[in-house]
Amino acid sequence: TPLSFFFLCPSVSHLMLARCGLRAALLGQAFSTTTRAAVTAQALRYHEFGSPESVLKLEKVEVADPKDGEVLVKFKAAPINPADINQIQGVYGIQPKLPAVAGNEGVAVIEKLGANVKGLSVGDRVIPSAPGFGTWTTHAVAPSSSFIKVSSKIPLEYAATLSVNPCTALRLLKDFVDLKKGDVIIQNGANSMVGQSVIQLAKQRGITTINVIRQRADYEEVVKRLKAFGADFVITEDLAASHDFRDLISGLPAPRLALNCVGGKNATEIARLLGNDGVMVTYGGMSKKPVQIPTSLFIFKNLQLKGFWLSQWLKDHSAAERDAMFTELTDLITQDKFRLFVENHRFDQFQQALITNQEQRDRKVVLSFD
C-alpha cells in the first residue's frame, strides 16, 4: 500500500557494528561524473536552498561502479528529520555543496564491493557512520568507511531511525546531569521521537518524567500513547505554567534536568520548574522563538543553560564511544524495552510524506524505497 503504519516492539538479535571512521561522506560525493555507470539512481536533489516542497526534485543520477575501497549500496528506508528540512532550507549547521541529495539518516544494503574493502560483504545492511551523507536516494557509492554494518534482523524502521533521535535522547540523559534513580526531569516536545525515546530510557533508569505537549484535538490519545511508553506526567503548556501544577508536584523532588526542543515561552516555563543548580539543555527550536530566561533563575537558583548537537558529539568522540551508544540502545530493543512509532511513505510519493511530516510530530515519517 502507498501508506502503512508501524508501532513496533520487536525481539531482535544484537546489533553488530563494524568499526569505521567518523568522517562523513560529503553530500553529493556518492555520485560520480564518470561515464562508467553501475546503476541509474532516483535521487531527491535540490539545486538551491528553500522550501522542500518547492526545491526538491526527483532526478535520475548515474551512479558509478565502486572504486578501490568503495561500496555500492541500495537504500531501503530513510526518515524525514527536522535537520533534513533545515538543511534543505539552508539554515542548518552543516551546509552541502549544491546540487545536493537530501537526507542524513537511513539504512541501505550493499550491492557491490570495490577492491580492498574489508569488514563488509554484499548483502550486508548498513547505515551512514556520520551525518551529511545524502540518504534520500535509491543508490549511492561511497568509501566503505562511510558506513556501519547493522544486523539484518533489526526491522528496517529501527535501522533507518536509530542513529539520530534515540542517540540524541541517550546523550541528553547521560551527558549533562548525573541522574540517579528517583530523580525528576522535565521536557517539552515530549511527543516527538526524541521525547518518546527520553521517556523510555528514563523509565529504564527509574527517573520520573514530566512531559509537556501542546493542547491539540487528539490530546487524550497522545497522553495515552506517552503513558504506554512510560511517561509519569503528561501536561499541556498552559498547565505547566500554572500554580495548580506546582501544587500537584510539590511532593516530588524538583526537576534536575530540563530538555528543550521548542523555545519561546514553553522553554521559559519548564526552566522555572527546575530546582537549585538545575540544568536546561536546548537541542532544538521548533517554535523558532528565542529562549528567554528570567535573571532571577540565574541568581537565586544557579540555573545553567547548555546546548546539544549530535553531529558535534560524533566529531568529538571516538568510534568506540559511538559503537557503545548503538549497542546500549540495541540491547534495549532486544529486551523489548524500546519502541518506535513510525509511518512509512513510498519514496515516489515524497511530496505527501513532506506534508504529513509538517502536520504531525509524534509519528516519525519514513521514506520506503521498496
Side-chain angles (χ1 to χ4, degrees):
T1 60
L3 175 65
S4 56
F5 297 90
F6 293 83
F7 192 9
L8 303 174
C9 186
S11 294
V12 297
S13 65
H14 192 77
L15 178 66
M16 302 299 294
L17 295 177
R19 184 180 179 89
C20 58
L22 280 174
R23 180 175 63 85
L26 292 176
L27 285 172
Q29 80 162 37
F31 303 96
S32 172
T33 57
T34 179
T35 57
R36 188 182 171 194
V39 67
T40 300
Q42 295 282 333
L44 279 176
R45 300 206 303 174
Y46 51 107
H47 296 254
E48 60 180 330
F49 297 117
S51 167
E53 293 82 2
S54 300
V55 301
L56 278 180
K57 308 296 180 185
L58 187 59
E59 300 177 346
K60 292 182 179 181
V61 181
E62 298 301 317
V63 179
D65 264 328
K67 300 176 183 178
D68 186 81
E70 294 182 335
V71 295
L72 171 68
V73 301
K74 174 177 171 51
F75 274 93
K76 308 294 285 186
I80 301 176
N81 288 318
D84 302 324
I85 303 302
N86 293 155
Q87 196 167 59
I88 296 166
Q89 294 168 335
V91 296
Y92 194 59
I94 298 174
Q95 293 297 334
K97 294 181 179 179
L98 300 178
V101 179
N104 287 276
E105 187 181 25
V107 61
V109 172
I110 293 179
E111 290 201 330
K112 196 171 185 178
L113 301 175
N116 301 313
V117 172
K118 294 179 173 58
L120 295 174
S121 302
V122 172
D124 283 349
R125 184 181 289 181
V126 294
I127 60 176
S129 61
F133 187 86
T135 56
W136 295 2
T137 180
T138 57
H139 296 80
V141 67
S144 61
S145 60
S146 301
F147 298 104
I148 304 169
K149 184 166 68 173
V150 296
S151 171
S152 61
K153 295 183 180 180
I154 297 175
L156 285 174
E157 289 73 23
Y158 279 98
T161 58
L162 187 66
S163 66
V164 174
N165 293 155
C167 289
T168 295
L170 185 63
R171 299 267 59 91
L172 291 172
L173 288 174
K174 296 184 73 171
D175 292 357
F176 296 94
V177 175
D178 184 17
L179 295 168
K180 307 293 186 183
K181 184 177 180 179
D183 281 341
V184 179
I185 67 171
I186 184 168
Q187 65 169 337
N188 57 28
N191 55 306
S192 67
M193 181 171 276
V194 172
Q196 293 172 23
S197 299
V198 164
I199 290 168
Q200 296 176 78
L201 295 172
K203 196 69 172 180
Q204 300 302 320
R205 293 161 169 74
I207 298 166
T208 298
T209 58
I210 300 172
N211 303 279
V212 182
I213 62 175
R214 61 183 173 82
Q215 184 66 55
R216 45 194 284 174
D218 60 345
Y219 175 78
E220 294 301 329
E221 180 183 339
V222 175
V223 170
K224 183 178 180 180
R225 185 184 311 117
L226 296 184
K227 291 277 191 177
F229 279 128
D232 297 288
F233 297 89
V234 183
I235 61 173
T236 63
E237 297 172 351
D238 289 342
L239 183 57
S242 71
H243 290 293
D244 289 342
F245 183 67
R246 286 170 171 76
D247 292 340
L248 179 64
I249 62 172
S250 59
L252 290 175
R256 299 184 62 201
L257 176 67
L259 305 177
N260 168 48
C261 68
V262 177
K265 181 181 177 182
N266 192 309
T268 305
E269 295 305 332
I270 66 171
R272 290 183 191 276
L273 292 170
L274 283 168
N276 292 335
D277 301 316
V279 176
M280 184 167 80
V281 183
T282 294
Y283 67 96
M286 300 308 296
S287 72
K288 299 182 179 179
K289 296 179 181 178
V291 174
Q292 296 180 321
I293 305 299
T295 303
S296 60
L297 296 184
F298 296 104
I299 296 174
F300 302 121
K301 285 191 171 183
N302 193 32
L303 175 71
Q304 298 179 58
L305 299 183
K306 298 189 177 184
F308 179 76
W309 185 29
L310 183 64
S311 297
Q312 190 63 49
W313 189 94
L314 291 170
K315 291 179 182 178
D316 294 342
H317 292 77
S318 67
E321 291 173 294
R322 179 204 62 207
D323 292 355
M325 176 172 62
F326 276 102
T327 299
E328 181 174 350
L329 289 166
T330 309
D331 284 347
L332 291 176
I333 295 172
T334 62
Q335 299 165 22
D336 293 340
K337 293 180 179 178
F338 195 83
R339 295 171 287 170
L340 301 176
F341 192 33
V342 305
E343 173 181 323
N344 276 359
H345 284 254
R346 280 172 36 184
F347 181 56
D348 60 358
Q349 297 182 355
F350 70 93
Q351 289 284 8
Q352 180 57 51
L354 291 169
I355 293 171
T356 302
N357 182 68
Q358 287 294 104
E359 290 175 345
Q360 52 85 21
R361 295 289 180 186
D362 24 350
R363 195 164 39 240
K364 178 63 66 178
V365 174
V366 176
L367 299 172
S368 177
F369 297 90
D370 289 334

